[in-house]
Amino acid sequence: MNWAEAGFKIFGTHVLWTDLVGNIAALSTVLLAIRRSMWTWPVQFTGSVLLFIASINAHITGNALKQALFAGLAVYGWWAWRRGTQDGKKLAVRPARPRERLTLIGLMVLGTAAVGVLFFVTGLSWGAHEPLPKGAFLVAADAYIFVGSALATWAQGRALVDFWIVWVAVDLVGVPLAFSSGLVVSGYVYGIFFVLVLVGFVKWLREYRSAPLGEMAVAR
């Protein structure tokens, strides 16, 4: 057994260290994002790499591609936040402008449709192997979570308060989907994400509203 397959047994189930540590890193990313810490991005990158390895070992190609995308977005987020905190400045957050919100909604709809077709045709989504109409629903949900997660991470890199709202929209599908599919652990993880996301949204919105006028001007 190589290091990528190393793990331990719990209730008769083999748990990969890459999967466990990767998910812990993912949860830590949210906690760090709430505090607007630059460590958000290195931790997210590390978690994405570990979950990519775990997904490859489990032959879950679609999830592996998602983790590769998240790793790339983590590099972008680190670069964007570094620019926003030059000269010792605190990262300025702001709500999205109307055009940015329309762009996010449009990309969510069109992206879900395009990725859904890709996942179905290539069989990258596990739902593509289920009979219709259940299979089509699962593929659509998988594509929605994929696209929504990518958009949320991109908006986070731009320090938009709205990125928390996108995560709420993703979790509203991810939590019931995980439980209905029998993925109880994943369902609970999504549930924890959901609570943390709500906390993060309230905190960022309060910080934006309480920021000095100069910082708010920069944020805009």
Side-chain angles (χ1 to χ4, degrees), residues 92-110:
V93 300
R94 64 175 176 85
R97 303 182 183 93
R99 178 177 292 183
E100 289 173 321
R101 285 183 181 146
L102 287 175
T103 299
L104 285 171
I105 294 171
L107 289 174
M108 178 73 92
V109 174
L110 296 176

Side-chain angles (χ1 to χ4, degrees), residues 81-143:
W81 280 26
R82 187 174 176 82
R83 286 185 61 196
T85 55
Q86 287 179 343
D87 302 321
K89 292 185 297 184
K90 188 174 183 179
L91 181 70
V93 300
R94 64 175 176 85
R97 303 182 183 93
R99 178 177 292 183
E100 289 173 321
R101 285 183 181 146
L102 287 175
T103 299
L104 285 171
I105 294 171
L107 289 174
M108 178 73 92
V109 174
L110 296 176
T112 297
V115 173
V117 172
L118 175 65
F119 278 2
F120 187 81
V121 172
T122 60
L124 287 176
S125 171
W126 56 281
H129 307 290
E130 295 289 331
L132 297 174
K134 179 182 178 181
F137 170 77
L138 292 175
V139 170
D142 205 11

Side-chain angles (χ1 to χ4, degrees), residues 189-200:
V189 171
Y190 265 117
I192 295 172
F193 268 119
F194 185 77
V195 174
L196 292 177
V197 163
L198 292 177
V199 172

Side-chain angles (χ1 to χ4, degrees), residues 27-49:
L27 285 172
S28 300
T29 296
V30 182
L31 292 171
L32 291 167
I34 292 174
R35 299 177 59 189
R36 289 189 275 175
S37 169
M38 282 295 295
W39 280 102
T40 297
W41 303 108
V43 171
Q44 177 174 315
F45 182 85
T46 302
S48 296
V49 170

Side-chain angles (χ1 to χ4, degrees), residues 168-216:
V168 168
V170 170
D171 287 343
L172 285 175
V173 173
V175 173
L177 178 64
F179 279 115
S180 65
S181 302
L183 303 174
V184 179
V185 175
S186 294
Y188 280 118
V189 171
Y190 265 117
I192 295 172
F193 268 119
F194 185 77
V195 174
L196 292 177
V197 163
L198 292 177
V199 172
F201 171 68
V202 172
K203 190 172 187 297
W204 272 38
L205 190 60
R206 284 178 178 172
E207 290 179 352
Y208 167 73
R209 289 174 174 172
S210 63
L213 292 177
E215 282 189 23
M216 292 176 67

